[in-house]
Amino acid sequence: RALSLDPKSAQAHIGKSRIYQFEQKWQIAMTELALARKFASQDTTINTFWEEAFLNRELKQYDRALKLLAQALAIPQTNKSRQAYLYFQRGETYSRLRKLPEALQDYSQAIKITSALTDAYFMRGLTYRVLNKSKEAIADFTTVISHASKPQADAAQASFASSLSNAYEQRALLYRQI
C-alpha cells in the first residue's frame, strides 16, 4: 500500500525486501534493496547497505557483505549507535571467515563507540576464548553479566539480558579450564 502511494519510498522497499527475505526469495529481496538505495536519502542509504550486507552474510557471500559494510561505514554518520552496530556486523562477518584479529578490532570499535552493545562484548568474549585469551574473555562475559543484572532503561540496554545465560555458561567453561 505504501508503494502505491509513493513508489519512491525507500523505507517501503526495505520493508518489502524483508518480506521477500522471510519467504527466502533472495533475488527479489536484493532487487527491492537496490530500488530502496535508488530512492534513498543518505540516512536511508546506510540502512540499505546494512540490509544488503546482512542478507549477503546470511547467504555466505562474505566478500560482498564486507564491501557493503565498508561502504556504509564510509558514509559520515551522526547516529553512533548505528555506527557501532555496523562495526559489530562486520566483526561477525570476519568471525565467520575466521579472520579473528579483524573481528576483535571491529568488536572493540563497536564497544568504544557505545558500551551498550552487549552482543559485541559477548562475541568478543567468544573470540578471545577461541584465541585462548581466557582473562580477556572472562572480562567480557563478566561485563555482559554485570550489565544484565541492572535495571534496563531501554530496548538497546535490554539486549544484555538475552545474552545473560550464555555469558554465565561461557564464563563457567573458562573457569573450569583454568
Side-chain angles (χ1 to χ4, degrees):
R1 177 136 167 87
L3 288 171
S4 68
L5 297 172
D6 180 7
K8 295 181 179 183
S9 170
Q11 293 293 6
H13 284 290
I14 290 172
K16 199 170 175 184
S17 171
R18 289 179 184 163
I19 292 168
Y20 287 128
Q21 289 175 48
F22 180 76
E23 294 173 345
Q24 298 184 349
K25 296 179 180 176
W26 312 119
Q27 193 54 50
I28 300 170
M30 295 283 196
T31 300
E32 287 297 327
L33 288 173
L35 285 169
R37 192 167 23 258
K38 178 179 177 182
F39 303 125
S41 65
Q42 176 177 312
D43 198 48
T44 306
T45 297
I46 296 168
N47 292 345
T48 63
F49 282 131
W50 178 85
E51 292 275 347
E52 191 176 342
F54 183 83
L55 178 55
N56 276 280
R57 189 186 73 206
E58 295 308 301
L59 294 171
K60 297 181 173 34
Q61 297 171 355
Y62 301 122
D63 290 338
R64 177 82 177 131
L66 289 171
K67 180 180 175 188
L68 290 161
L69 288 165
Q71 288 177 293
L73 285 164
I75 297 171
Q77 299 176 42
T78 56
N79 184 329
K80 295 299 180 188
S81 178
R82 179 173 52 198
Q83 185 181 31
Y85 198 70
L86 287 165
Y87 277 108
F88 169 73
Q89 289 296 322
R90 192 169 72 178
E92 276 205 346
T93 305
Y94 281 132
S95 288
R96 291 182 188 191
L97 287 167
R98 307 299 292 168
K99 293 183 176 185
L100 301 183
E102 292 89 342
L104 281 177
Q105 185 176 1
D106 278 351
Y107 294 142
S108 295
Q109 184 64 28
I111 291 165
K112 182 179 176 184
I113 294 168
T114 178
S115 62
L117 191 52
T118 314
D119 293 336
Y121 284 102
F122 186 78
M123 292 303 295
R124 188 174 72 175
L126 289 176
T127 305
Y128 280 137
R129 184 165 180 238
V130 169
L131 293 171
N132 294 317
K133 294 185 175 192
S134 299
K135 181 179 173 184
E136 293 89 343
I138 289 170
D140 278 348
F141 295 136
T142 300
T143 298
V144 173
I145 293 164
S146 171
H147 285 202
S149 302
K150 298 174 186 173
Q152 306 304 317
D154 60 30
Q157 292 289 330
S159 71
F160 277 110
S162 68
S163 301
L164 181 60
S165 63
N166 287 330
Y168 272 117
E169 180 182 355
Q170 291 297 321
R171 190 173 73 170
L173 290 169
L174 287 163
Y175 282 140
R176 188 179 308 151
Q177 286 176 349
I178 292 170

